[in-house]
Amino acid sequence: MTDRERLGIDVGGTFTDFVHLKNGVLFAHKVPTTPDDQSAAIGSGIRQLRAAEQAAIAHGTTTATNALLERRGARCALVTTKGFRDVLAIGRQNRPHLYDLSQHRPAPLVPDALRFEVDERIAADGSIVRPLDEDEVASVAAALRGLEVESVAVVFLFSFRHPEHERRAAEILAAHLPHVDVCVSSEVLPEYREFERTATTVVNAYVQPVIGRYVERLTDVVAPRSIRIMQSNGGTIGPVQAAVQPARLMLSGPAGGVVGAFNLCRTTLGDPAPRLLTLDMGGTSTDVALCPGRIPRTSESEIAGLPLRLPSIDIHTVGAGGGSIARVDDAGALHVGPTSAGAVPGPACYGRGGTEPTVTDANLVVGRLLFDRFLGGDVELDVDAARAAVDSRARGLGLSCTETALGIIRIANAAMERALRRVSIERGHDPKQYTLVPFGGAGPLHACELADALGIGRIVLPTHPGVLSALGLLMADVVYDASISILNRGDETAALYRRQREHVLEVMAREGFEAPAVETFVDMRYRGQSYELTVPVDLPNESPDAAAARFHEAHRRRYGHARPDAAVEPVTVRVRATAAGAEVALPREEEAAASDAAPFDRRTLVQSDGHEVAAPIYERDALRYGHTVDGPAVIAQYDATIYVAGGWRASVDPWRTLHLTTAHLNTA
């Protein structure tokens, strides 16, 4: 990317965020998201910012995620080995809720009528049991021509051992169906576990036409500017590669936030390996991640109840956002989310036709959100509409408007607290030893109460928390991952590693990087185990014993015990190529402010215990290095509003980052 002008663009459920870096100066900007075509909001924002034609763009999108969550993907078919057409329907027979007697699994993305079998068979060792019946593949292609499919997933048994059958079938299908996208599992996910490989390949095929059309519109909108798109793994890639393997974009936007939070905190905390809990609260959902001195990555995730075995940052999502709608059920209980008002019509206070009460409306009612300071005062929020919406629920509960608003906030907080506990306490991490980094448009409003609930004694708020995901996109490296199963193929490991290394280098060369850094990892397990841990290795130089020792230590850290005398087997080799992203230098103030910060107003604010106070209101742009703000208080800025709860103190560091600490919690 050019050093002079760069643009990070993150599409959220309510707003599309922009960070424009020009001549070393950052500008934050927001425009309402256009759900029907996200590129429309992007074009609008670029025009408003007057970004130069040479500006390089990094982009995070929810297009793939939304297509999957809302089941608006392509009409997709599956072609598989004879006898395996029902793999998608059978799945793993997992029970997410053990005692729920009426569980309903999501319907397969490919309906029964679009699942086809062809005669071929590869054995577990890669030998050919039955050759591919090419005439049968041609017959399937003829049948698909009349079914108006947009994409086809080809998944043959053990194709990761012998991919030639899949490749030949894809050639035949492409010849008969020239306008249909064809995905083969040996390219999308050449790993064992039949259901996961099938499901991941189908997801890729399901969203590929949608992403292909989106990328085409997007490149037209931003032209002639160059663009890279964020992947779930925390690295960007070019639009051509993104369109070929769109399943890698499922956590595109949230990944940027974790990258941004981690990189900024390394500077502001003075720690190259900070321990962070990130909280990205947007309009429709909240994404949380635990960074134990590094950005957490996984090869196992789940989207909309479907497994997605592709590299991603380890992020947990809950349906609690600023636009989450509050409702009262038939038993008279108050619920918040997961349904969201989104960008259209949005919360009631936005004045776009929304009438349902949301978390944003509740924060406005209790005075934590300022009606005349939203988006720097560019948008005036409708307090009366927010009160009317909250009142509509208060009447059914027999509570006052203020009590109901506090109830909405507490329920949203409870959902986010559970998410934070899931990534920390449930995995053996003590949140008291971590710093909470809240961001997104709504995150800073809820941070103090969440920290109180978890015993966290420090909160860090970057200078632009409302657009941190967009800023993280600018910081992200260019990354490409590849993997292949090596189970029971010890004699082939070196050759398979070289093949994957050549593949990632080829992809990076097409992206314009001839000498990227290359890292290698191996999924390992004790013989007889069903699942693996990923450990870094130095192939082909490192001995198997050294890699096994690293696995024993990883197993001890994760599960509290290890078996150094037990046999260890490698399962999957993973190769990652990385080219460094842009460096974003934070401006630093060398001298502390000579006087105390002065509020520009005082307004009535309702605390979590229901008591009203006349709280000082500060403008964040007026806060300088050395200033402190004691809660309860509200700090307003263009891209977010910060609620400093009673008992908390906000201090400004040389980079104008806010550090919130509390006296009643241990901050060690």
Side-chain angles (χ1 to χ4, degrees), residues 436-513:
L436 181 64
V437 186
F439 52 96
L445 285 168
H446 297 257
C448 290
E449 291 173 339
L450 289 170
D452 283 336
L454 292 165
I456 298 172
R458 179 185 290 275
I459 301 168
V460 169
L461 281 159
T463 52
H464 296 286
V467 294
L468 184 62
S469 290
L471 180 58
L473 297 172
L474 294 183
M475 299 176 170
D477 297 332
V478 180
V479 178
Y480 187 73
D481 292 280
S483 63
I484 190 165
S485 286
I486 57 174
L487 188 63
N488 300 323
R489 303 166 77 177
D491 56 334
E492 301 177 59
T493 298
L496 292 169
Y497 159 72
R498 285 193 296 270
R499 192 169 84 191
Q500 295 305 98
R501 179 185 172 89
E502 290 170 3
H503 173 57
V504 299
L505 290 176
E506 179 186 339
V507 172
M508 293 296 281
R510 291 200 299 266
E511 296 293 323
F513 300 94

Side-chain angles (χ1 to χ4, degrees), residues 360-551:
T360 296
D361 296 308
N363 276 309
L364 183 61
V365 166
V366 300
R368 300 179 189 180
L369 195 60
L370 310 177
F371 77 95
D372 56 347
R373 306 295 294 182
F374 193 69
L375 293 183
D378 291 345
V379 176
E380 184 169 310
L381 301 179
D382 190 335
V383 179
D384 291 337
R387 287 187 175 278
V390 174
D391 262 331
S392 69
R393 300 296 185 264
R395 289 190 294 271
L397 296 167
L399 300 173
S400 69
C401 182
T402 299
E403 290 171 331
T404 303
L406 287 174
I408 292 171
I409 293 169
R410 290 183 188 122
I411 292 171
N413 285 345
M416 291 184 282
E417 181 188 342
R418 286 194 298 272
L420 289 166
R421 288 180 179 275
R422 180 165 180 175
V423 300
S424 59
I425 295 170
E426 292 183 16
R427 299 181 183 179
H429 299 274
D430 183 358
K432 296 184 181 68
Q433 304 302 319
Y434 285 76
T435 297
L436 181 64
V437 186
F439 52 96
L445 285 168
H446 297 257
C448 290
E449 291 173 339
L450 289 170
D452 283 336
L454 292 165
I456 298 172
R458 179 185 290 275
I459 301 168
V460 169
L461 281 159
T463 52
H464 296 286
V467 294
L468 184 62
S469 290
L471 180 58
L473 297 172
L474 294 183
M475 299 176 170
D477 297 332
V478 180
V479 178
Y480 187 73
D481 292 280
S483 63
I484 190 165
S485 286
I486 57 174
L487 188 63
N488 300 323
R489 303 166 77 177
D491 56 334
E492 301 177 59
T493 298
L496 292 169
Y497 159 72
R498 285 193 296 270
R499 192 169 84 191
Q500 295 305 98
R501 179 185 172 89
E502 290 170 3
H503 173 57
V504 299
L505 290 176
E506 179 186 339
V507 172
M508 293 296 281
R510 291 200 299 266
E511 296 293 323
F513 300 94
E514 297 294 340
V518 178
E519 300 172 279
T520 308
F521 307 84
V522 173
D523 294 356
M524 308 181 79
R525 68 187 184 191
Y526 292 120
R527 187 164 294 158
Q529 283 186 320
S530 297
Y531 289 89
E532 306 81 43
L533 292 176
T534 303
V535 297
V537 298
D538 182 17
L539 288 177
N541 304 315
E542 195 167 47
S543 69
D545 290 342
R550 197 170 292 117
F551 166 75

Side-chain angles (χ1 to χ4, degrees), residues 571-594:
V571 176
T572 301
V573 63
R574 303 184 182 279
V575 182
R576 176 186 301 149
T578 303
E583 290 189 11
V584 177
L586 298 176
R588 177 188 172 100
E589 295 179 349
E590 298 301 329
E591 294 186 7

